[in-house]
Amino acid sequence: MFAALKIEDMKLRSKAFLLLAFNIIGIGIYPVMLKAGAISEDVLSFMLLVFGIATAVSFAYLLASNELENFKGLIKDRKTFYLLAFAGLLDYGIASGLEMIALVHLPANLAAIVRRSWVLLMVPFLPLVLKLKVNRYQLLGLALGFVAIYLVFTSGTLITISYSELPWLMLLILTALSLALANVLIKSRQASLPVELFLFNASTFAFYALALPVAHFLLGYRIVMNFSILDVSAILFLGLFTYFIGTYFYFFALKVLEPTTIGNATLAAPFVTFGFAFLVFHEQVYAYYLLLAALIIAGVVIQEKAPKKTLLRSKNEFKNLLFDISGAFAESKSEVVNAYFSGSGRALAMPIDAELGESAKDVMDKVASQYGCIVFDLKKPVHGIGEKEVEFIKDVLGISEGQVGKSVLIGIGKPESIESAFKDLSEALDLQNHKIFNKN
């Protein structure tokens, strides 16, 4: 789809960071376009048109990607289907609706910064939903982000809070909470990007298609369709870029990178908003925004100092040894892998300081069959897993060239099934006394 960018052959993490950078520009413009819709005479019709366009183009992409059958398959997995539809509605419909109400009363610059607090609100969901551990680097980076948000609430005074703006600021916090929960829920389930894009847009379009007549006939909402040039431009930008192209960039990055890394990186987006808000609405950039910039940049730098490995919490004895490496398979075309990876499936890694022999494969195949998952040694990946995925896993786990003799057990499937399989393998292959390598 995006062949013009010539990024197909890049490493997964490099590609994810590049697409994330493009997306940051788009989400920087987003609040300005959303404010244009907020001050229009008919917000519900505005949003219905936005998501009508987004649904149409994402459906065309679904067909062009030959993913229609995968979408039908997702419908059969009702739990995953409803969860992703709900997450898409939270991320698109609910968040955008709450933010639009707030933007009637607040400048786009302020909304752009407060919206980024979803990074803070996401942290409690990480261990609860994804079973991921939050390290001290992430907490420190997020703490600096919280200080920046506090400065926004006090307009840089550190003391005085504008109570007239407080209700609208609280709506933005609810926006951030909706985004936080949505991002973690999306990360918890596996589906192809074309399928996710269409599902998120379609569920939000259905929401506004229902909300508009209900508001009109039951609440006397006035439907007005005479939009200005700015309104039309905003509809096209939001429908085509924000909720289609930009969203593809973002969710690809979300599948590959750590959620907190993405959250901290997108804290740079408000500074793009500053420029566009000045050009369109002549909004001023105040001096204390420079302090906000310094705090946000510091948070991003600290976040990037964190180890790349993402520890997975577990109820068994491996709870300090399992790593979530699901991002390695964000672009997997292997039918075998995707059969175990879709829905609630994950990819987990357990590095060990021993080299597994030839006989280990038979044991792994037998145990994996028993628990309904895939288990293999990274040095001998199963069919459909190529060099790109292997390099990603080594990069995430910090495996250097000097550790080529070490083994990494990889499991793909339901997390609880993988943990059980690893436990049985540990006993069958006598791995109980082997320690994880490169743990720090």
Side-chain angles (χ1 to χ4, degrees), residues 148-188:
I149 298 300
Y150 178 75
L151 285 176
V152 173
F153 273 93
T154 62
S155 300
T157 65
L158 299 178
I159 300 174
T160 305
I161 296 177
S162 175
Y163 290 99
S164 62
E165 293 183 344
L166 190 58
W168 317 119
L169 291 172
M170 292 305 298
L171 282 182
L172 290 180
I173 293 298
L174 290 177
T175 297
L177 184 62
S178 181
L179 290 169
L181 179 57
N183 276 269
V184 177
L185 289 176
I186 292 168
K187 186 77 173 178
S188 72

Side-chain angles (χ1 to χ4, degrees), residues 419-438:
E419 293 174 9
S420 297
F422 281 177
K423 180 179 180 180
D424 283 7
L425 280 172
S426 176
E427 296 172 354
L429 300 177
D430 192 26
L431 302 177
Q432 293 94 328
N433 297 321
H434 292 291
K435 299 178 180 179
I436 188 172
F437 64 82
N438 197 28

Side-chain angles (χ1 to χ4, degrees), residues 302-320:
I302 291 173
Q303 175 65 44
E304 290 308 307
K305 294 293 184 182
K308 292 180 180 178
K309 295 181 289 186
T310 304
L311 271 172
L312 184 82
R313 292 182 61 196
S314 171
K315 295 180 179 179
N316 62 33
E317 62 263 38
F318 296 121
K319 73 178 188 176
N320 291 322

Side-chain angles (χ1 to χ4, degrees), residues 289-344:
Y289 287 176
L290 298 177
L291 180 56
L292 298 180
L295 288 170
I296 291 171
I297 292 172
V300 172
V301 170
I302 291 173
Q303 175 65 44
E304 290 308 307
K305 294 293 184 182
K308 292 180 180 178
K309 295 181 289 186
T310 304
L311 271 172
L312 184 82
R313 292 182 61 196
S314 171
K315 295 180 179 179
N316 62 33
E317 62 263 38
F318 296 121
K319 73 178 188 176
N320 291 322
L321 302 178
L322 297 186
F323 298 91
D324 191 325
I325 43 91
S326 300
F329 306 100
E331 288 189 313
S332 177
K333 302 299 182 182
S334 170
E335 294 183 2
V336 175
V337 171
N338 289 330
Y340 292 91
F341 191 56
S342 60
S344 59

Side-chain angles (χ1 to χ4, degrees), residues 100-388:
M100 286 187 76
I101 296 173
L103 281 168
V104 175
H105 307 276
L106 297 174
N109 283 338
L110 188 62
I113 298 177
V114 177
R115 192 176 197 267
R116 302 268 68 81
S117 65
W118 73 265
V119 182
L120 304 176
L121 299 176
M122 177 184 65
V123 172
F125 295 118
L126 293 178
L128 293 175
V129 178
L130 297 180
K131 298 183 179 180
L132 298 179
K133 289 187 176 181
V134 179
N135 61 48
R136 61 182 181 274
Y137 296 92
Q138 294 167 331
L139 291 175
L140 181 56
L142 294 176
L144 290 177
F146 178 78
V147 173
I149 298 300
Y150 178 75
L151 285 176
V152 173
F153 273 93
T154 62
S155 300
T157 65
L158 299 178
I159 300 174
T160 305
I161 296 177
S162 175
Y163 290 99
S164 62
E165 293 183 344
L166 190 58
W168 317 119
L169 291 172
M170 292 305 298
L171 282 182
L172 290 180
I173 293 298
L174 290 177
T175 297
L177 184 62
S178 181
L179 290 169
L181 179 57
N183 276 269
V184 177
L185 289 176
I186 292 168
K187 186 77 173 178
S188 72
R189 289 294 186 272
Q190 307 300 326
S192 68
L193 285 173
V195 169
E196 285 186 342
L197 284 173
F198 174 66
L199 178 58
F200 296 164
N201 282 309
S203 62
T204 305
F205 176 74
F207 172 78
Y208 281 108
L210 178 63
L212 182 60
V214 168
H216 177 68
F217 292 109
L218 297 183
L219 304 176
Y221 180 83
R222 183 185 177 192
I223 299 177
V224 182
M225 300 296 288
N226 55 339
F227 295 127
S228 67
I229 294 178
L230 179 60
D231 294 334
V232 173
S233 299
I235 289 171
L236 292 175
F237 178 86
L238 294 171
L240 292 175
F241 184 85
T242 300
Y243 293 112
F244 178 54
I245 298 175
T247 304
Y248 174 91
F249 291 169
Y250 175 78
F251 284 117
F252 179 89
L254 183 63
K255 285 177 177 292
V256 175
L257 304 174
E258 295 77 16
T260 46
T261 297
I262 293 174
N264 277 332
T266 56
L267 286 173
F271 304 103
V272 178
T273 304
F274 296 162
F276 281 91
F278 177 78
L279 290 174
V280 178
F281 297 115
H282 305 291
E283 292 186 3
Q284 298 298 313
V285 178
Y286 297 101
Y288 76 93
Y289 287 176
L290 298 177
L291 180 56
L292 298 180
L295 288 170
I296 291 171
I297 292 172
V300 172
V301 170
I302 291 173
Q303 175 65 44
E304 290 308 307
K305 294 293 184 182
K308 292 180 180 178
K309 295 181 289 186
T310 304
L311 271 172
L312 184 82
R313 292 182 61 196
S314 171
K315 295 180 179 179
N316 62 33
E317 62 263 38
F318 296 121
K319 73 178 188 176
N320 291 322
L321 302 178
L322 297 186
F323 298 91
D324 191 325
I325 43 91
S326 300
F329 306 100
E331 288 189 313
S332 177
K333 302 299 182 182
S334 170
E335 294 183 2
V336 175
V337 171
N338 289 330
Y340 292 91
F341 191 56
S342 60
S344 59
R346 309 296 295 173
L348 307 183
M350 186 178 77
I352 53 178
D353 66 349
E355 184 172 1
L356 300 178
E358 292 294 332
S359 60
K361 185 180 185 306
D362 292 335
V363 179
M364 285 187 282
D365 290 343
K366 181 179 179 180
V367 172
S369 177
Q370 178 182 350
Y371 289 103
C373 59
I374 301 174
V375 177
F376 58 92
D377 186 347
L378 184 61
K379 292 190 293 183
K380 298 178 181 178
V382 298
H383 179 71
I385 296 178
E387 183 178 348
K388 182 182 290 187

